[in-house]
């Protein structure tokens, strides 16, 4: 019988916190394999230091209660690490107030901010999950990417005692052969990229978790671009969804360009070059603006058809 070890923390939320955005981000899989979402609660299966775990977030008007139930023998309870992860996941480290104060009267961004004040970018629990999701989603629709992600989680075979499947960590993913990865429906290129990435993370040649503390963006970018199959879009998306860095230019994202076309009232398709030039003016907030543009077309979600 498994022993379930629980950790709990209470985190204060700002008055304008948008819990629905977090729930929508984690509720993309209609089959509820690794995430269960209700009106005010998220349950998410994940690997916590190699063990199957279930993260439960219960949202109240001004705080969230986070509980992490870990399968396995009792060990050291690290509520500091749990609190840090949850704060990152909820976007509480993002200085969105500064962005909104700067641009609330801007002719285009002002109305965008007014539609969704307090918008933060929800993050994956780990940079590894964000990065692997970005690789899975290259050049395909969100619906197709969700299906691939589901089959990858199933292939990894880590299941919490609650019944939730757990998103695999690098060690477990590195244990899958390229043939096993291909059986999930991944292309050969994506399977090789995921294998190489997992090995590099497992061997600590890509210290993703340590980077959450120091955020050496230039080093992260250079090291990730050195992995075959990872391009600028994937890096910028992972920096956003894995680390909370708000200045990656996601001009290559089709949904961003469609949102920008709507925002500017353009009758012609917004090109990649035009989107890059337009977003450049708003550094260091380019990725946050992309999130606002995604929110204009929620049916598309982010990364609907993206380059590598």
């Amino acid at each position: 019988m498994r022993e379930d070890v629980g950790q709990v923390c209470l985190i204060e939320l700002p008055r304008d916190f948008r819990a629905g955005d977090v729930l929508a981000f984690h509720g993309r899989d209609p089959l509820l394999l690794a995430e269960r979402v209700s009106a005010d609660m998220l349950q998410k299966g994940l690997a916590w230091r190699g063990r199957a775990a279930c993260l439960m977030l219960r949202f109240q008007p001004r705080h969230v209660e986070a509980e992490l139930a870990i399968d396995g023998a009792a060990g050291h309870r690290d509520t500091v690490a749990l609190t840090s992860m949850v704060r990152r996941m909820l976007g509480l480290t993002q200085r969105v107030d500064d962005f909104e104060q700067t641009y609330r009267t801007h002719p285009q961004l002002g109305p965008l901010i007014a539609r969704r004040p307090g918008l933060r970018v929800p993050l994956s629990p780990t940079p590894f999950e964000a990065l692997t999701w970005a690789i899975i989603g290259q050049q395909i629709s969100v619906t197709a990417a969700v299906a691939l992600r589901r089959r990858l989680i199933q292939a990894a075979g880590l299941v919490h005692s609650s019944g939730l499947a757990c998103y695999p960590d690098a060690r477990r993913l590195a244990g899958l052969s390229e043939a096993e990865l291909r059986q999930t429906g991944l292309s050969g290129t994506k399977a090789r990229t995921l294998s190489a990435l997992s090995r590099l993370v497992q061997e600590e040649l890509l210290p993703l978790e340590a980077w959450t503390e120091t955020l050496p963006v230039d080093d992260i970018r250079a090291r990730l671009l050195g992995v075959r199959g990872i391009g600028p879009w994937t890096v910028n998306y992972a920096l956003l969804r894995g680390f909370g860095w708000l200045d990656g230019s996601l001009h290559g994202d089709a949904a961003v360009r469609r949102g920008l076309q709507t925002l500017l009232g353009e009758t012609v398709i917004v090109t990649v070059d035009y989107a890059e030039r337009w977003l450049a003016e708003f550094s260091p907030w380019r990725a946050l603006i992309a999130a606002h543009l995604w929110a204009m077309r929620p049916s598309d979600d982010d990364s609907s058809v993206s380059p590598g």
Side-chain angles (χ1 to χ4, degrees):
M1 180 180 295
R2 291 175 170 178
E3 180 181 357
D4 201 54
V5 181
Q7 303 181 40
V8 179
C9 64
L10 204 66
I11 299 173
E12 185 178 353
L13 297 174
R15 190 175 300 276
D16 62 356
F17 187 77
R18 302 168 56 89
D21 293 346
V22 176
L23 297 170
F25 174 64
H26 291 286
R28 290 172 293 182
D29 186 350
L31 298 189
L32 308 177
L33 177 73
E35 295 91 6
R36 297 173 187 156
V37 172
S38 66
D40 58 1
M41 185 170 65
L42 165 67
Q43 293 174 278
K44 179 172 175 60
L46 51 87
W48 180 267
R49 297 172 182 169
R51 298 187 183 276
C54 175
L55 174 67
M56 183 179 297
L57 301 180
R58 300 182 184 89
F59 291 97
Q60 304 295 331
R62 293 302 303 274
H63 71 269
V64 61
E65 180 183 346
E67 178 180 349
L68 185 69
I70 309 164
D71 284 345
H76 176 63
R77 299 189 180 189
D78 193 345
T79 55
V80 173
L82 173 61
T83 301
S84 178
M85 181 184 73
V86 173
R87 284 182 53 79
R88 226 174 30 249
M89 285 179 65
L90 302 184
L92 297 178
T93 61
Q94 299 167 21
R95 298 181 294 107
V96 298
D97 289 346
D98 293 350
F99 166 72
E100 294 186 359
Q101 289 173 10
T102 302
Y103 292 109
R104 66 174 67 255
T105 60
H106 187 275
Q108 285 89 35
L109 295 186
L112 200 63
I113 292 168
R115 289 190 193 106
R116 293 174 180 84
L119 185 143
R120 292 168 170 79
V121 181
L123 269 60
S124 299
T126 66
F128 182 74
E129 180 172 337
L131 186 52
T132 50
W133 164 252
I135 293 167
I136 292 167
Q138 293 169 355
Q139 297 289 355
I140 59 176
S141 70
V142 170
T143 301
V146 167
L148 280 177
R149 175 184 184 269
R150 184 189 310 131
R151 292 195 290 270
L152 181 67
I153 294 171
Q154 290 172 324
L158 185 64
V159 181
H160 185 256
S161 54
S162 65
L164 272 178
C166 300
Y167 198 90
D169 57 10
R171 181 186 64 82
R172 188 163 288 263
L173 206 55
L176 297 178
S177 67
E178 185 178 328
E180 289 172 315
L181 291 173
R182 290 295 306 277
Q183 287 173 1
T184 68
L186 289 164
S187 67
T189 298
K190 290 181 181 181
R192 288 188 290 273
T193 301
L194 288 175
S195 289
L197 173 70
S198 300
R199 289 194 300 271
L200 290 169
V201 173
Q202 185 184 20
E203 295 166 5
E204 299 186 355
L205 297 174
L206 290 175
L208 299 181
E209 290 302 321
W211 282 340
T212 63
E213 301 297 326
T214 58
L215 197 56
V217 171
D218 291 339
D219 190 27
I220 294 172
R221 186 185 303 281
R223 303 269 289 277
L224 291 181
L225 288 174
V227 180
R228 185 182 295 274
I230 294 180
W233 180 90
T234 301
V235 172
N236 282 332
Y237 185 86
L239 281 167
L240 175 63
R241 291 293 196 188
F243 297 93
W245 190 58
L246 299 180
D247 195 32
S249 182
L250 292 161
H251 54 276
D253 189 285
V256 168
R257 298 199 305 277
R258 287 195 292 269
L260 184 57
Q261 181 179 346
T262 300
L263 178 69
L264 301 180
E266 296 285 353
T267 56
V268 297
I269 294 174
V270 169
T271 66
V272 172
D273 288 343
Y274 183 91
E276 182 177 19
R277 291 194 302 271
W278 192 87
L279 288 167
E281 178 183 344
F282 304 106
S283 179
W285 307 107
R286 290 174 291 178
L288 181 57
I289 292 171
H292 276 274
L293 294 172
W294 283 331
M296 292 179 67
R297 302 176 63 93
S299 61
D300 285 330
D301 199 355
D302 52 304
S303 63
S304 55
V305 178
S306 58

